[in-house]
Amino acid sequence: MNKKLLFLLGLFPMITIAQVSFTNSNSLLVNASLTSGCAIGVSDMNGDGLDDLIRLDNARNLQIEYQTPGGGNFTQYIFGSVGGSQWGMAIADVDENGYNDILTGGAYNGLKLIKANSDGTSYTSSTLTSSIFVQNLNFADIDNNGTIDIFACHDDDTSKAFSNDGLGNMTENNGLINAVATNSGGNSGNYGSIWIDYDNDNDLDLYISKCRLGVNNPNDGRRVNLLFENDGNNNYTDVAQSVGLAPLGQSWSANFEDIDNDGDLDCVLINHDITSMIFENDGTGNFTNITASSGIASTLSGLGSGGIQVVMEDFNNDTFIDILITARSDSHRLFLNDGDKTFTEASNAFTLPSGPNRIQSAAVGDLNNDGFIDVVAGFATGYNGPSNNPDVLYLNNGNTNNWSEIRLVGDVSNINGIGARIEIQGAWGTQIREVRSGDSYGIMNSLMTHFGLGTATGIDAVIVHWPSGSVDTILNPNINEVLVIEEGETLSTESFGSQTIHIAPNPTNDILNIETTNNENFSYAIYDLSGKQVQTETVLPASNQININHLSNGIYIIHLTSQNSKTTHKIIKE
């Protein structure tokens, strides 16, 4: 049944697609002549809650431009050369000192961790390894122990992982994940990488887009995409072909977002020798190619070998995820979501400088703090060669649609909340986002999650599923502002419809009191942070008291279940 018929039946609100346009705002920058290669970043670097620009002039000279309050201009910090040409970038606070750190890497010129000092005013670089041809980088808590680790795509061999000792010191440790090819042929060709929860089981999985130019056999492991499914105990198994995400093409990059607001992550995949594709998730982690019915099939096919990155954001704040594809040839493409799993191309959204006819690289965030997603665009040549065309800061001209932006501060989980899933509920139904570091191919997008609300005037609930397993729920938050959520701030009280659950005291050394507004019968189970069950499921006694004196001091997760509700809380035994 199509959207128009549903509208006539009163079952679907007719959607008017808000158009998108951007303004060249380089006049606000300190260095309006900077020329990036592929790697560009957007993140809050000085802890003021505002997105900043992180770029590599000539692909190797690190500069940060800090957004000033009010969106009026930027100030600058120059780090200088990081060595040879850099291909990838990721950003996170690896030592949890309150200031984000930078990871860069290139072709055998050193994987570099550039760490902020204690007040974020300067940085120190160290080389983790030189034995790698970096194509893409991610920060992710691979073993889910509360510290941020590193994953680095290696063009010439198996990708590398580095574990964090909790103080921000990284050690190569491919035991975190052994990202080897499933098909024979070799382990090279690792290009784009992204950590996502593709199957909605509350743990991180890894998708790698594989490309090895000159390899023509579509079944050669050097060009067969990999989807490493996490079993919840940090054991990873490649399932790409069985779930429908290995189309046997030369794949450059991928992104995962919920294009139809049904609560699961769909996929857009950039290929170079076959058409680029859109895949729909059926909710169980199996994917169907819907490119033919997407409304943009011919355009995706026409990308040929030109597509580089895919960025998925709600650029017009109408509650639906849009698609921006950058290109090294032909032209970039911006596709607006029609709301029914089809898309319409937005033409001339960007006024291009003289010379280039396409955006080759792009990172996104809110760079004037107005609730609309902006774009930092680079015009490199080939795949990573800086050109004579300076980057452009494109500020989104916006519209009257409402919005919400959410910044997470982890406690038991990593401080950036990387790997968390955020869900908002309201008149539109449900929208989901995930916090990621290192996206698509070579770029770093904002760690602040962004939601368009359309004409809705409120949010019923914001629900944060943290990597630790804890869940925070914020009811009826303000809109059109940045919401900062700290892990655990709502864990002692949570509402489900007419049911409110309160746990006290928390922390405690022995007795937890479970208070509920309804007289429902609950059962409970307790788990440690590794996921091990330390208290088997038991009916809550009539006293509504649980004695946890037998547990060792530390942090645990309690699951409470009744016929009508299920909730998870963090508890602290001291």
Side-chain angles (χ1 to χ4, degrees):
M1 191 175 293
N2 64 34
K3 180 175 67 175
K4 184 175 180 180
L5 180 57
L6 287 171
F7 169 71
L8 293 173
L9 293 174
L11 301 176
F12 189 92
M14 183 59 79
I15 295 171
T16 301
I17 301 174
Q19 294 302 304
V20 176
S21 64
F22 297 84
T23 297
N24 183 325
S25 302
N26 273 16
S27 61
L28 302 178
L29 298 176
V30 177
N31 186 356
S33 62
L34 188 149
T35 58
S36 293
C38 175
I40 300 176
V42 173
S43 193
D44 175 14
M45 298 304 295
N46 57 357
D48 64 355
L50 301 175
D51 280 335
D52 306 311
L53 292 177
I54 306 92
R55 296 181 292 167
L56 295 152
D57 194 16
N58 197 34
R60 67 194 67 209
N61 298 305
L62 177 63
Q63 299 184 17
I64 301 172
E65 293 204 32
Y66 302 100
Q67 182 184 165
T68 59
N73 55 17
F74 291 78
T75 61
Q76 186 184 51
Y77 167 83
I78 298 177
F79 177 84
S81 176
V82 295
S85 179
Q86 305 294 288
W87 291 65
M89 178 186 295
I91 293 171
D93 184 359
V94 300
D95 53 5
E96 304 207 344
N97 69 349
Y99 297 96
N100 283 326
D101 311 300
I102 305 168
L103 182 69
T104 70
Y108 296 107
N109 54 36
L111 176 62
K112 302 169 186 71
L113 180 58
I114 305 166
K115 295 170 67 173
N117 68 356
S118 60
D119 60 7
T121 58
S122 66
Y123 294 79
T124 302
S125 177
S126 61
T127 299
L128 302 179
T129 182
S130 295
S131 301
I132 187 171
F133 186 159
V134 169
Q135 290 286 0
N136 194 53
L137 294 169
N138 310 103
F139 280 121
D141 187 357
I142 299 173
D143 53 1
N144 198 26
N145 67 348
T147 62
I148 285 296
D149 309 306
I150 290 171
F151 185 81
C153 277
H154 189 4
D155 192 5
D156 290 338
D157 207 338
T158 308
S159 297
K160 295 179 180 290
F162 296 79
S163 59
N164 188 338
D165 68 354
L167 301 174
N169 301 307
M170 298 289 181
T171 303
E172 186 171 341
N173 179 10
N174 291 316
L176 287 174
I177 180 169
N178 189 21
V180 298
T182 303
N183 288 33
S184 62
N187 291 301
S188 61
N190 303 291
Y191 272 51
S193 54
I194 185 168
W195 290 84
I196 38 88
D197 180 8
Y198 88 95
D199 52 358
N200 285 2
D201 64 352
N202 299 312
D203 54 43
L204 280 181
D205 313 297
L206 169 65
Y207 190 73
I208 302 178
S209 305
K210 302 264 290 184
C211 177
R212 195 63 172 174
L213 299 180
V215 176
N216 297 320
N217 179 0
N219 292 296
D220 190 298
R222 292 170 291 180
R223 50 170 286 172
V224 179
N225 295 354
L226 300 168
L227 174 58
F228 288 103
E229 179 184 293
N230 189 341
D231 69 354
N233 294 307
N234 306 320
N235 300 307
Y236 293 90
T237 304
D238 174 34
V239 297
Q241 296 188 70
S242 64
V243 304
L245 282 182
L248 305 182
Q250 298 276 23
S251 300
W252 203 269
S253 64
N255 210 330
F256 288 73
E257 294 291 351
D258 186 359
I259 64 171
D260 49 2
N261 288 346
D262 65 349
D264 54 50
L265 296 176
D266 310 298
C267 176
V268 177
L269 178 64
I270 303 301
N271 298 310
H272 277 195
D273 62 336
I274 60 175
T275 185
S276 294
M277 300 173 176
I278 301 176
F279 295 90
E280 181 184 7
N281 190 332
D282 69 355
T284 67
N286 292 295
F287 291 82
T288 301
N289 184 348
I290 62 167
T291 310
S293 61
S294 68
I296 54 174
S298 61
T299 306
L300 290 174
S301 177
L303 288 174
S305 62
I308 297 291
Q309 300 154 347
V310 52
V311 177
M312 300 175 71
E313 278 284 357
D314 184 357
F315 289 102
N316 56 6
N317 283 5
D318 68 350
T319 77
F320 289 102
I321 284 285
D322 309 308
I323 303 169
L324 172 63
I325 296 175
T326 68
R328 70 180 182 92
S329 58
D330 187 53
S331 177
H332 63 269
R333 306 285 182 177
L334 176 58
F335 302 112
L336 300 181
N337 193 327
D338 299 330
D340 58 356
K341 293 183 282 192
T342 68
F343 295 83
T344 301
E345 184 169 2
S347 58
N348 303 316
F350 303 93
T351 301
L352 296 173
S354 60
N357 64 353
R358 81 290 178 272
I359 294 172
Q360 190 268 4
S361 192
V364 301
D366 187 353
L367 287 158
N368 59 352
N369 204 35
D370 68 346
F372 286 83
I373 290 295
D374 309 305
V375 177
V376 187
F379 303 92
T381 60
Y383 299 116
N384 193 45
S387 68
N388 295 321
N389 299 290
D391 299 355
V392 174
L393 168 60
Y394 287 109
L395 292 183
N396 192 325
N397 293 324
N399 54 47
T400 59
N401 283 340
N402 295 316
W403 53 275
S404 178
E405 291 177 342
I406 297 171
R407 182 161 58 91
L408 299 185
V409 181
D411 178 16
V412 180
S413 305
N414 67 86
I415 193 171
N416 299 111
I418 294 168
R421 176 172 288 192
I422 303 174
E423 174 183 325
I424 68 167
Q425 299 174 350
W428 55 84
T430 298
Q431 296 184 57
I432 61 172
R433 301 286 190 273
E434 293 183 337
V435 183
R436 301 171 186 151
S437 176
D439 273 296
S440 187
Y441 175 77
I443 55 174
M444 173 69 200
N445 295 318
S446 177
L447 289 166
M448 185 160 57
T449 53
H450 167 266
F451 295 89
L453 307 181
T455 58
T457 58
I459 298 172
D460 294 338
V462 175
I463 304 169
V464 181
H465 297 267
W466 296 89
S468 67
S470 60
V471 179
D472 276 303
T473 301
I474 310 293
L475 301 177
N476 302 310
N478 293 338
I479 65 171
N480 296 334
E481 66 181 36
V482 176
L483 178 64
V484 179
I485 301 177
E486 297 185 14
E487 184 175 10
E489 69 176 72
T490 70
L491 288 181
S492 290
T493 303
E494 193 166 350
S495 296
F496 294 82
S498 61
Q499 174 78 291
T500 299
I501 299 171
H502 179 69
I503 299 177
N506 191 11
T508 184
N509 60 6
D510 51 16
I511 300 297
L512 287 171
N513 294 290
I514 313 297
E515 301 175 7
T516 64
T517 53
N518 294 344
N519 294 320
E520 292 189 67
N521 294 318
F522 278 87
S523 61
Y524 72 94
I526 300 175
Y527 300 81
D528 66 19
L529 293 183
S530 72
K532 178 181 178 182
Q533 191 175 59
V534 296
Q535 167 66 61
T536 57
E537 187 164 1
T538 306
V539 174
L540 186 67
S543 65
N544 284 354
Q545 291 187 337
I546 300 172
N547 191 330
I548 63 170
N549 187 52
H550 63 288
L551 299 178
S552 301
N553 291 352
I555 299 171
Y556 298 88
I557 303 298
I558 184 170
H559 292 251
L560 290 160
T561 305
S562 73
Q563 184 176 357
N564 299 309
S565 62
K566 184 175 182 178
T567 179
T568 301
H569 300 263
K570 179 179 72 175
I571 58 175
I572 302 174
K573 165 65 164 52
E574 62 179 17

